[in-house]
Amino acid sequence: MVWLENNSDQYQVPDDVVDIAFRIECKMLTLDHAHALAEQILAQLPWMKDEPQAGIHCIFVAASGNGWMRPENNETELLQLSKRTKMHIRIPKHRIKDSQCLTGKALDINGHFLKVGAGQIKLLSDSTTLFARHVVTEERESETLFLQRQVLELKEKGISVKKMLCGRRNYFKIPGRLLYTRTLMLAELSKEESVLLQQNGLGTDRLLGCGLVLPHKGIAPVLTEN
């Protein structure tokens, strides 16, 4: 008799790339804060520009249960932050110690001051469903062409696409241009593929929060989240 056990549940996520979740003190931020946040963090951690696996997550606040709704994309709209809101960066393991100099710093994000607290190391996830809030696209690129580009890039990374869905369009206002993005969900990845994609991202501009993928539980929010 031949009996091969499925060992996928025994997969251990490597720690060579991690997220650092920093506590923050900040009451509100402009919705379009990606460029200002990147400038302030890079002033403290300039080495991030030379680390291809590094990224800066946009600060995300979900709609609350008391009727508050997240605003649409506009540089004048404000996000209301709670005491639980965190600031996340993604870095290679050998930069963990270097990142701790952010603690205690006061960052000026478009005129809103954000004080950085202690950071907590978080391993990447082995979730087989991933979601990116922002993947770079062209202003007039169709959904079909956008998805075709992602399939080709993923293939180059050694990732076989089984299910992929893109959602709403968005943009960031950065000096000299607008940076257009789409949401993207990938499902039925292997755990190894999932971690590989989290480590290396998708597309460009990861220091502006683009191409960074996160674990996700379902498909529906892709069509509604910013």
Side-chain angles (χ1 to χ4, degrees):
M1 178 175 68
V2 175
W3 191 287
L4 298 177
E5 294 287 353
N6 185 348
N7 293 321
S8 60
D9 292 338
Q10 299 176 14
Y11 177 75
Q12 292 189 356
V13 176
D15 65 353
D16 40 344
V17 177
V18 299
D19 279 340
I20 309 291
F22 290 93
R23 293 180 178 274
I24 58 174
E25 294 179 21
C26 184
K27 292 184 178 180
M28 62 183 65
L29 285 177
T30 54
L31 180 61
D32 188 353
H33 61 263
H35 181 262
L37 180 64
E39 276 197 324
Q40 290 287 296
I41 290 179
L42 291 173
Q44 304 297 327
L45 310 179
W47 48 262
M48 290 189 74
K49 297 177 182 178
D50 301 317
E51 295 286 357
Q53 293 177 310
I56 299 172
H57 297 266
C58 291
I59 295 175
F60 180 78
V61 180
S64 68
N66 63 7
W68 182 78
M69 298 298 293
R70 280 175 50 79
E72 293 298 320
N73 194 350
N74 188 304
E75 57 265 29
T76 64
E77 298 285 356
L78 297 176
L79 289 174
Q80 306 296 325
L81 276 58
S82 75
K83 293 182 179 179
R84 297 187 300 274
T85 304
K86 300 288 197 304
M87 181 182 76
H88 297 82
I89 63 173
R90 185 163 291 177
I91 55 173
K93 179 181 179 179
H94 69 272
R95 289 295 192 177
I96 291 176
K97 185 176 180 180
D98 297 333
S99 72
Q100 299 310 306
C101 71
L102 273 176
T103 299
K105 295 294 191 297
L107 311 182
D108 181 356
I109 314 298
N110 292 328
H112 297 275
F113 286 90
L114 182 155
K115 184 175 181 180
V116 184
Q120 180 182 4
I121 300 170
K122 299 178 64 176
L123 291 179
L124 302 181
S125 172
D126 66 358
S127 171
T128 58
T129 301
L130 297 176
F131 178 65
R133 293 191 179 100
H134 302 284
V135 177
V136 174
T137 185
E138 297 295 332
E139 181 179 2
R140 295 181 176 82
E141 185 175 40
S142 69
E143 179 177 325
T144 298
L145 290 176
F146 173 78
L147 289 173
Q148 288 176 350
R149 281 200 303 107
Q150 308 318 311
V151 170
L152 289 175
E153 182 175 341
L154 289 163
K155 186 176 181 180
E156 291 174 357
K157 296 179 185 295
I159 297 172
S160 176
V161 177
K162 298 180 179 65
K163 293 182 178 179
M164 184 166 60
L165 175 67
C166 68
R168 66 180 300 169
R169 292 172 58 87
N170 207 332
Y171 69 87
F172 295 127
K173 188 176 182 180
I174 59 177
R177 64 189 177 106
L178 295 179
L179 181 65
Y180 293 91
T181 71
R182 280 187 181 271
T183 58
L184 186 70
M185 189 279 300
L186 298 100
E188 295 187 8
L189 299 166
S190 70
K191 292 182 178 182
E192 292 83 358
E193 288 174 330
S194 171
V195 171
L196 177 65
L197 184 52
Q198 290 171 77
Q199 289 176 334
N200 296 287
L202 191 60
T204 63
D205 293 286
R206 283 186 280 282
L207 296 179
L208 293 173
C210 298
L212 299 173
V213 290
L214 303 164
H216 206 262
K217 293 183 179 180
I219 297 175
V222 175
L223 301 176
T224 58
E225 287 196 38
N226 248 352

